[in-house]
Amino acid sequence: MKKCSALLLLMAACYTTVLATVPPAKLFLLTGSFQKNYTADMMLMKVHEGKRIPIATAKPGKDKDFAFALSNPEEGFYYIAEGKGNNPVRIYVKSGDALSVEINDEGYKMITGSQENKLLADWAAASSVIARPAFQFTKINMEYQEYFKNLNVFLPEAKKFNQKITTPNKKFNALMKMAVDMDVELDAMHYLLVPHSTHPTKAEYPDFYAQIIKSPKYTSASVLQLGETVEYMGNYSTFCTLMGDRNAPAPANRTEWAANLFGNDTLKGAYVANNMSRFKSYEEFTSTIDPLKKYLVTDSMKAAYFNTMKAMNNFKKGSASYNFSYEDINGNKVSMNDLKGKVVLIDVWATWCGPCKKELPFLKTLEEEMKDKNVVFVSISVDELKDKEKWKTFVQTQQLGGTQLFAAGWSDIAKFYDINGIPRFMVFDKEGKIVTVDAPRPSEAALKTLLNETLREN
């Protein structure tokens, strides 16, 4: 490996950090080279909630070498992969370590590295006998008789390998033992789920396959520290139906059924968050996912929900509305679906918002003028939770009418409709469909006209 070329790439991969100013004890350095023809970028990925997320790329130099540097990285498993994530190699990253690898047709070879990375390289080499036919099946077309024989021979070896994971690094040991167990099951399942010229009957499966199924599967979210967990969960749900030990659900219930295979709510959330793209319509998506929203506990899970929902809804007239659910001033829950049958005017506001307060007299007048018509006036406060009593007092002293709801901050309705400034007025028809998500204000005569037109159309 040419040191000069590697050093230049190392500097480029370090973002804006100047290596000379970072203490070596806070750096992780990775250098590598290819022992095969390869020209695409090399990718460095970290683990986020059970899957691999790209964080940097490096273009191989003329000597087919590459390099990465991380300043004060979070300790744990990372991955390097070719192109857009092909053939990922698991590595262990912690401050103060350096790792050098060679990428070859069979996987990779560690040149220098920590005790943790030595074990990872040994495991990659040992497990390749069941991993490569499962994941590189276009290159290695192994018939199931041979694969099952190799699997049965390898299982005792995997147990022995787990027993020798005894480094001084207890965090690594725990992660590595989970990885060994998950890798074996994932490889074995994946082999069954990819194309082959012939496929075995269930009677021909080794006994190991029946042992994979547990009820529930995984009871700790600690497995989300592995970059294969989300992939494993998808394979596992398909494998369960293949084994026939569980009743195959109707398509509309599959997401909930699969999430409940796992015995931890965060794991359920990870499964749900990563299986949202299969829905073909907004209505199908919300009817399936909304009952499972309680499992979407992290910011990224919630973001996946709103991003998917918004991608299916163009907010044009006639599009479906978001079915919010908030408490009114008496503590009773009110949802958008509860309001169907009436034309709905929604005012998103807050007690601290000057322009919002200026609209209140006009809103009261409009409500009085339309009190005998089939229109419901809903005000949704985005005051923070700490100001809930302040909101109640304001509503009571100002004698605000309509349905007063409390959203406790910039919550889901604001995220769904991309509300970054208030007041925001929105109009919905009697079926709960969008008329406009950016209506005129009550101080404008156009709002009353719009409400009357919506009543006539319905």
Side-chain angles (χ1 to χ4, degrees), residues 109-127:
K109 175 184 177 182
M110 191 183 80
I111 306 303
T112 59
S114 64
Q115 185 177 359
E116 295 95 335
N117 280 300
K118 171 68 166 57
L119 268 175
L120 280 168
D122 289 347
W123 172 246
S127 61

Side-chain angles (χ1 to χ4, degrees), residues 197-215:
S197 56
T198 58
H199 288 271
T201 65
K202 283 192 290 185
E204 294 175 292
Y205 291 179
D207 292 342
F208 175 72
Y209 281 103
Q211 299 169 20
I212 292 175
I213 295 180
K214 298 285 193 307
S215 183

Side-chain angles (χ1 to χ4, degrees), residues 128-138 140-151 183-201 204-206 208-209 212 231 235-236 239 242:
S128 65
V129 66
I130 62 169
R132 293 189 69 213
F135 283 91
Q136 299 180 29
F137 53 91
T138 57
I140 305 173
N141 186 17
M142 183 179 292
E143 296 299 330
Y144 71 86
Q145 295 90 342
E146 182 180 0
Y147 187 84
F148 288 168
K149 179 181 177 181
N150 291 344
L151 175 63
D183 285 353
V184 175
E185 292 187 0
L186 179 59
D187 294 342
M189 290 189 296
H190 198 77
Y191 178 85
L192 293 179
L193 303 178
V194 296
H196 298 289
S197 56
T198 58
H199 288 271
T201 65
E204 294 175 292
Y205 291 179
F208 175 72
Y209 281 103
I212 292 175
E231 182 180 12
N235 277 261
Y236 181 73
F239 174 71
L242 180 66

Side-chain angles (χ1 to χ4, degrees), residues 13 38 57 64 66 77-78 96 162 168-169 204 206 240 251 254 284 332 344 346 349 364 379 384 386 392 420 423 431:
Y38 191 76
T57 58
K64 297 189 291 186
F66 62 90
F77 285 149
Y78 288 64
N162 234 336
N169 188 338
E204 294 175 292
C240 285
R254 180 170 176 82
E284 180 190 10
N332 300 314
V344 180
I346 290 180
W349 72 294
K364 287 182 179 181
S379 296
E384 296 296 331
K386 65 182 178 63
K392 285 184 177 181
N420 299 308
E431 295 179 356

Side-chain angles (χ1 to χ4, degrees), residues 50-62:
K51 60 184 178 181
R52 300 180 289 269
I53 303 295
I55 57 173
T57 58
K59 187 176 291 295
K62 64 180 181 179

